Amino acid sequence: SMDRDKTDMSLREGFLVKRGHVVHNWKARWFVLMPDKLLYYKYEGGKRDSCQRGKILLKDCVLTCPFLEYENRPLVFKLQTANGVDHFLEACSREERDEWAADIRAAADKLHTADGDKATNQQDKARSQLNNIDLSKVLDSMYDVHSGIKMSSHVEQGSTYSNCFSGSAVVDWLVFMQLALTRVEAVTLASALLEEGFLRTVGLKSVEALRTAGLSEQLMDDSTALYSFSDSLKKRGSVKAEMSLSAVELSGKVIKRGYLLKQGHRRKNWKVRLFVLRSEPAFLHYYDPTKDDISPVGGFSLRGCLVSSLEDNGVPSGVKGNVQGNLFKIITQSDTRYFIQAPSHQEKMNWIDAIRVHT
């Protein structure tokens, strides 16, 4: 089916931290670069969640690397799609950032040369109408509590879907808000929101419509085709008190940086953290990529630490949830246990080796 992109065509995979469109918070996502788009997934409990995903189309996108407007996040690059929507992505290191940027640019250039002038006049005309519209602003007003689109539960073939709206409700709203003059124009605008991944299909009818529309993502002006926002409006979590760390701990030379999953000590939930290994003094610190805070959430001295690789078959003791594969454990001198999962076997071995050198 069209839903299951063959990710074996992927050109590159890994964690990047992405800024949200509606609530402007930063979240770690697993990114997969395909020849024509960048897919991203939630990564929970040490597993990639294949239904929670978004995409960024690469055709005619503009890449800005480095992008230096977020002062606490120097490793961001910006990707602007053909529809003029900005995506801000942050890598764990300068090398990673530049490699991602180079691979994305190469993929986009290939699409450009392969395509030539194949776009139809009708699409071009619709696009040019869209050029003066800021899709992120349209999305913001759709979310507005008072004047935004109304969400409700809909039943389709015995299933109930909550927090959604019909295609014709979207068109009605765009026309009523004078964001589009005609229903046809509203469909073009709504389809751009769908193509950007701001809206997603819900239920069967709207998905079927995409399949028959072929490549272009078309929103249906139909009261039985259901859609919803891609981002649920969960508010940001409470900010925990940070530990104060002495400057000495952070004074060593940075040896290695990367995104890894770490099991929490109390709630045992798995979270993506940016790990930074420093030498002289040898410390491993970890940072919460969702926070703008530049100080680490935690860290420990590597002196006297024991680091061991955990078996890939079955869930090791001490690990909560069905989390397996590429796991390793660090026991500090004060006997605190850290369970960590790397995104690949190779990265696990690299981290274990780098840590062992400094114990």
Side-chain angles (χ1 to χ4, degrees), residues 19-59:
R19 197 187 83 147
H21 286 295
V22 181
V23 181
H24 288 167
N25 47 359
W26 296 79
K27 296 230 168 103
R29 293 289 180 256
W30 182 258
F31 277 80
V32 178
L33 175 60
M34 306 292 282
D36 61 337
K37 58 182 166 288
L38 205 46
L39 299 173
Y40 55 91
Y41 302 83
K42 270 190 181 170
Y43 206 97
E44 282 177 333
K47 284 193 289 290
R48 156 175 128 174
D49 179 355
S50 57
C51 60
Q52 275 288 344
R53 68 159 207 203
K55 65 174 180 317
I56 302 170
L57 298 183
L58 299 181
K59 192 175 167 348

Side-chain angles (χ1 to χ4, degrees), residues 55-346:
K55 65 174 180 317
I56 302 170
L57 298 183
L58 299 181
K59 192 175 167 348
D60 299 330
C61 71
V62 179
L63 183 72
T64 309
C65 179
F67 181 82
L68 302 176
E69 284 176 37
Y70 295 106
E71 50 190 277
N72 289 346
R73 298 176 183 270
L75 299 174
V76 170
F77 58 94
K78 179 174 100 166
L79 202 54
Q80 187 180 63
T81 65
N83 290 330
V85 173
D86 291 336
H87 297 269
F88 301 96
L89 308 174
E90 179 185 33
C92 64
S93 67
R94 196 156 267 123
E95 299 74 42
E96 280 273 308
R97 179 196 68 190
D98 294 343
E99 284 171 23
W100 270 104
D103 289 350
I104 291 168
R105 197 167 267 146
D109 287 350
K110 229 178 199 162
L111 289 172
H112 203 69
T113 50
D115 207 61
D117 301 307
K118 270 194 288 199
T120 63
N121 285 339
Q122 207 180 355
Q123 270 179 320
D124 281 350
K125 224 161 83 189
R127 278 256 188 270
S128 67
Q129 288 172 339
L130 278 178
N131 276 347
N132 317 326
I133 291 182
D134 180 342
L135 287 182
S136 306
K137 284 214 175 84
V138 173
L139 186 70
D140 276 341
S141 38
M142 272 184 98
Y143 266 111
D144 191 280
V145 186
H146 305 292
S147 58
I149 192 159
K150 297 288 171 274
M151 291 191 279
S152 59
S153 294
H154 291 258
V155 178
E156 181 185 291
Q157 297 190 4
S159 300
T160 303
Y161 300 98
S162 56
N163 295 331
C164 57
F165 33 77
S166 70
S168 48
V170 176
V171 173
D172 284 347
W173 183 84
L174 289 168
V175 172
F176 174 70
M177 294 297 286
Q178 299 181 346
L179 289 161
L181 293 172
T182 63
R183 294 190 82 82
V184 174
E185 206 178 290
V187 166
T188 301
L189 177 50
S191 299
L193 291 168
L194 191 62
E195 181 180 272
E196 283 303 327
F198 289 158
L199 301 181
R200 61 185 174 87
T201 55
V202 171
L204 306 167
K205 178 133 188 189
S206 55
V207 177
E208 201 46 56
L210 284 192
R211 219 164 266 144
T212 50
L215 290 172
S216 64
E217 304 234 339
Q218 197 70 22
L219 179 127
M220 290 180 81
D221 184 355
D222 180 318
S223 60
T224 61
L226 303 179
Y227 301 90
S228 152
F229 293 117
S230 299
D231 267 344
S232 61
L233 274 180
K234 288 204 192 79
K235 284 291 164 269
R236 311 183 60 163
S238 60
V239 179
K240 294 194 191 72
E242 302 290 346
M243 307 164 38
S244 66
L245 288 152
S246 70
V248 179
E249 283 188 22
L250 298 167
S251 64
K253 174 174 188 287
V254 173
I255 303 294
K256 191 168 173 57
R257 304 166 57 96
Y259 294 121
L260 298 168
L261 288 127
K262 174 188 158 301
Q263 180 172 267
H265 288 298
R266 282 184 301 279
R267 289 186 40 214
K268 305 277 188 254
N269 46 352
W270 290 84
K271 294 268 172 78
V272 179
R273 294 293 178 250
L274 171 66
F275 278 80
V276 179
L277 172 64
R278 294 180 173 86
S279 73
E280 294 173 25
F283 268 86
L284 186 60
H285 290 102
Y286 50 95
Y287 299 76
D288 182 346
T290 65
K291 302 234 165 58
D292 274 343
D293 200 330
I294 50 179
S295 57
V297 196
F300 48 90
S301 164
L302 289 179
R303 183 166 300 168
C305 278
L306 295 171
V307 57
S308 56
S309 173
L310 299 175
E311 286 301 313
D312 277 351
N313 47 358
V315 178
S317 72
V319 169
K320 186 167 180 249
N322 185 22
V323 176
Q324 346 183 359
N326 306 323
L327 291 161
F328 62 100
K329 175 168 78 169
I330 303 171
I331 304 178
T332 66
Q333 214 167 12
S334 61
D335 209 37
T336 308
R337 277 144 215 268
Y338 289 89
F339 291 98
I340 297 168
Q341 186 183 39
S344 69
H345 177 74
Q346 188 58 55

